[in-house]
Amino acid sequence: MSTEETANNRKGVLGWINPHNHNAERWAYAFQRITGVAVLLYVLGHLGDTSFFVGGPIGTGPSESSWAFISGLVENSFGHMILVLVVLVVTFHGVNGIRLILAEFGVMFRKPRAIEYPYKPKGLNPLQRYVFVAAVAMAAIAALLAWWILFEGPL
Amino acid sequence: MRESRLMLVQYVTAAAAVVLVAIHLLLQGVLVPYGTAISFGTVLSAYRSVISIVFLELLLVVVLVHGFNGVRIILHELRQTASWSRWVDAGTVIAIVASVGYGTRTILLAVLMGVSS
């Protein structure tokens, strides 16, 4: 394959969300990357907002007024909605990540077999798909719990 | 560092992050009521406890190394030229050092300095 052909076949980031020919494992791959980038962006924002405990980027020590300022800015319905989404993606990323680590070390794989039409990968253990479904389910449960804590529970 | 070693770093930090982030989330609303957990007094007392400080610094390093190394892996997959790889690797190191430095600064100021109103 020439360099030009390789470049044309490269789907890039858009290939993650293109549903054409996506099976469960392919969706798991795409979601793992999308949630990973989302979590990193949140963590960077969280580094910024927690720094207001010491007065922000130019602060010099713990400041009650600075903390009250940032709390007033982020502790509202919109901010809590973001936190629910963060719990959703963090839980999915964590549980699906455990599946990937186990797969990397050969757990949850069957013996490789010759592929036959319609070319479904036979080495994959059905357990892999169950863990993927469990990751989605646990993320939904964790998000519901976060919703309850932030919107319904006793603050 | 060899790419295989960096992938091992990615998996070790992933396993550590699962445990540390789970504890962090449980302390923000499940084991401690959310309103109490984010109050100035509770956060300050967290910064006055050695165990809590070590925990927060570990969480900071583990999550940022895992996150930025993950982005590095994605960027290496998108394009494979020598100069791109060098820029991505250098950018990753700079991003990790800068963000860990900023987070550590917050922790150090909270630990060492007196409270102002």
Side-chain angles (χ1 to χ4, degrees):
Chain A
M1 193 180 281
S2 71
T3 311
E4 195 177 328
E5 280 175 312
T6 308
N8 288 337
N9 287 332
R10 190 164 56 84
K11 291 178 179 173
V13 173
L14 288 178
W16 296 356
I17 51 173
N18 180 357
H20 183 61
N21 279 340
H22 266 29
N23 57 14
E25 288 76 18
R26 181 75 186 171
W27 281 117
Y29 163 89
F31 287 153
Q32 188 69 6
R33 269 132 204 272
I34 292 166
T35 54
V37 172
V39 171
L40 179 63
L41 290 176
Y42 171 75
V43 167
L44 293 177
H46 192 45
L47 272 184
D49 71 46
T50 51
S51 76
F52 276 82
F53 186 78
V54 293
I58 53 165
T60 53
S63 162
E64 210 159 353
S65 59
S66 173
W67 188 241
F69 164 74
I70 198 68
S71 296
L73 214 61
V74 298
E75 297 303 329
N76 51 45
S77 297
F78 180 72
H80 288 176
M81 228 15 255
I82 299 286
L83 287 180
V84 171
L85 284 175
V86 167
V87 169
L88 181 84
V89 297
V90 163
T91 309
F92 172 81
H93 191 81
V95 178
N96 191 48
I98 291 170
R99 178 184 72 86
L100 291 174
I101 294 173
L102 292 175
E104 177 71 16
F105 291 102
V107 182
M108 295 197 294
F109 271 100
R110 292 188 292 198
K111 281 186 179 172
R113 286 153 59 190
I115 52 169
E116 295 159 10
Y117 186 79
Y119 307 125
K120 289 192 174 165
K122 295 206 169 78
L124 285 178
N125 191 316
L127 187 59
Q128 291 244 10
R129 289 197 175 185
Y130 299 149
V131 177
F132 173 53
V133 173
V136 174
M138 286 174 76
I141 292 167
L144 283 173
L145 179 64
W147 176 280
W148 184 81
I149 288 169
L150 292 166
F151 288 96
E152 307 289 337
L155 291 176
Chain B
M1 199 183 282
R2 279 163 54 180
E3 207 58 36
S4 58
R5 203 55 72 77
L6 287 170
M7 276 316 290
L8 190 61
V9 167
Q10 188 69 357
Y11 290 128
V12 169
T13 53
V18 166
V19 176
L20 296 172
V21 171
I23 294 170
H24 186 60
L25 289 179
L26 286 173
L27 289 172
Q28 310 291 320
V30 180
L31 299 175
V32 179
Y34 182 71
T36 308
I38 61 161
S39 70
F40 186 81
T42 308
V43 179
L44 185 66
S45 64
Y47 283 122
R48 297 290 187 253
S49 149
V50 176
I51 294 172
S52 184
I53 295 164
V54 171
F55 172 80
L56 287 172
E57 186 64 31
L58 257 179
L59 182 67
L60 179 75
V61 173
V62 161
V63 168
L64 287 171
V65 168
H66 181 76
F68 280 115
N69 193 34
V71 170
R72 189 190 68 86
I73 292 164
I74 291 171
L75 293 174
H76 275 299
E77 282 180 4
L78 292 178
R79 198 173 157 183
Q80 295 92 32
T81 63
S83 63
W84 172 259
S85 296
R86 273 197 302 275
W87 279 107
V88 166
D89 289 347
T92 303
V93 171
I94 292 167
I96 290 172
V97 170
S99 53
V100 168
Y102 189 73
T104 304
R105 168 196 162 272
T106 299
I107 294 172
L108 285 176
L109 286 175
V111 169
L112 300 173
M113 307 304 281
V115 179
S116 66
S117 54

